[in-house]
Amino acid sequence: MESKKLPPGQHEIGAIPRWNIDHLGIIPENPKFDPEKWTLTVNGEVEKPVELTWRDFLKLPSVESISNFHCVEGWSVRDCRWYGVKFSTLVKIVVPSKDAKYVLFRCSDGYTTPLDLKDLLKDNILLAYKLNGQFLEEPLGGPVRLVVPDKYAYKSAMWIERITFTNRKKPGYWEERGYSDTADVWKNDRVARKKDSL
Ligand SMILES: Nc1nc2c(c(=O)[nH]1)N[C@H]1C(S)=C(S)[C@@H](COP(=O)(O)O)O[C@H]1N2
Ligand SMILES: [Mo]
């Protein structure tokens, strides 16, 4: 169960805003999900790259994890009941090589965001496909989005299409535009500092 305390500078709102109503996205409409055509590619510095269909993905062991969700603009939503595949489960399947230090998420709207592999192994980090008992609709990042509760939500990539393990970090969409790469909500890491080596 997630703690009730919110990180510095955050205020509570009732529910995660639906993208097409509350956000200015890269593209004007949500990518459409076709379960027959959808695939998730996991590649790069791994011993066993995979390309999963929607049916394959649903067969992976899944768990529930309740966490608070924090956008860098200041809103937070408490106790989101996510359901999906722990990122650490995927790591066991693809077996990263010893050079793999980073993971780049690419999404079907063209969005990208990098994370350090070591920061993705906690039990509350999911490739989520349900929220509060419902399959994730497109305006909430469906069919599959990342959930990284202790980082600002620009690290919680929606509409994931490709996950690439790498030995060098590339900045993503918001990191290129001056946002923090560490994005730690408890340290108030909103803006990139010089020491961030991107
Ligand atoms: N693919 C993709 N993922 C994304 C974004 C985006 O523009 N594209 N925006 C991020 C930001 S800034 C936030 S606050 C959350 C918003 O999630 P929501 O649409 O479910 O509210 O998605 C994150 N993931
Ligand atoms: Mo955000």
Side-chain angles (χ1 to χ4, degrees):
M1 185 50 111
E2 178 66 77
S3 94
K4 289 289 163 194
K5 202 173 128 233
L6 291 184
Q10 296 296 113
H11 65 271
E12 184 175 356
I13 61 166
I16 297 183
R18 295 167 67 85
W19 187 260
N20 53 349
I21 300 171
D22 295 281
H23 292 277
L24 196 62
I26 303 177
I27 54 169
E29 291 195 15
N30 304 301
K32 287 273 165 295
F33 170 47
D34 178 343
E36 294 304 318
K37 295 204 181 112
W38 183 88
T39 57
L40 175 64
T41 302
V42 189
N43 62 8
E45 300 282 340
V46 293
E47 284 175 24
K48 298 178 180 164
V50 288
E51 186 177 295
L52 303 168
T53 65
W54 180 235
R55 236 169 258 128
D56 298 333
F57 189 79
L58 290 179
K59 282 188 202 138
L60 299 179
S62 297
V63 297
E64 181 174 285
S65 176
I66 297 175
S67 56
N68 298 343
F69 190 82
H70 313 289
C71 171
V72 71
E73 289 166 60
W75 52 264
S76 293
V77 180
R78 289 184 204 270
D79 299 330
C80 302
R81 190 159 56 86
W82 299 105
Y83 183 82
V85 179
K86 277 198 262 180
F87 194 81
S88 62
T89 301
L90 185 74
V91 167
K92 283 183 200 132
I93 294 169
V94 299
V95 192
S97 72
K98 63 176 185 332
D99 293 336
K101 297 249 167 12
Y102 310 105
V103 184
L104 185 68
F105 292 81
R106 292 201 185 98
C107 311
S108 53
D109 60 340
Y111 189 78
T112 52
T113 193
L115 280 130
D116 290 16
L117 176 55
K118 67 170 171 33
D119 292 341
L120 286 170
L121 304 176
K122 275 173 72 176
D123 279 346
N124 63 358
I125 296 175
L126 301 191
L127 294 164
Y129 58 92
K130 286 186 184 176
L131 173 60
N132 301 327
Q134 308 272 325
F135 276 97
L136 268 189
E137 293 172 64
E138 286 110 332
L140 291 171
V144 178
R145 82 176 299 161
L146 185 68
V147 176
V148 187
D150 297 317
K151 295 188 184 284
Y152 292 112
Y154 55 89
K155 293 291 182 180
S156 290
M158 305 193 288
W159 311 309
I160 301 173
E161 205 169 64
R162 183 180 290 254
I163 300 174
T164 306
F165 289 69
T166 63
N167 53 16
R168 288 192 50 198
K169 182 142 44 176
K170 281 216 282 181
Y173 183 82
W174 282 120
E175 294 81 3
E176 268 182 340
R177 289 163 178 77
Y179 284 84
S180 163
D181 179 54
T182 50
D184 186 322
V185 295
W186 301 105
K187 295 186 181 154
N188 216 352
D189 285 344
R190 295 173 197 259
V191 178
R193 286 179 224 150
K194 283 236 170 61
K195 71 166 182 53
D196 293 350
S197 55
L198 283 180

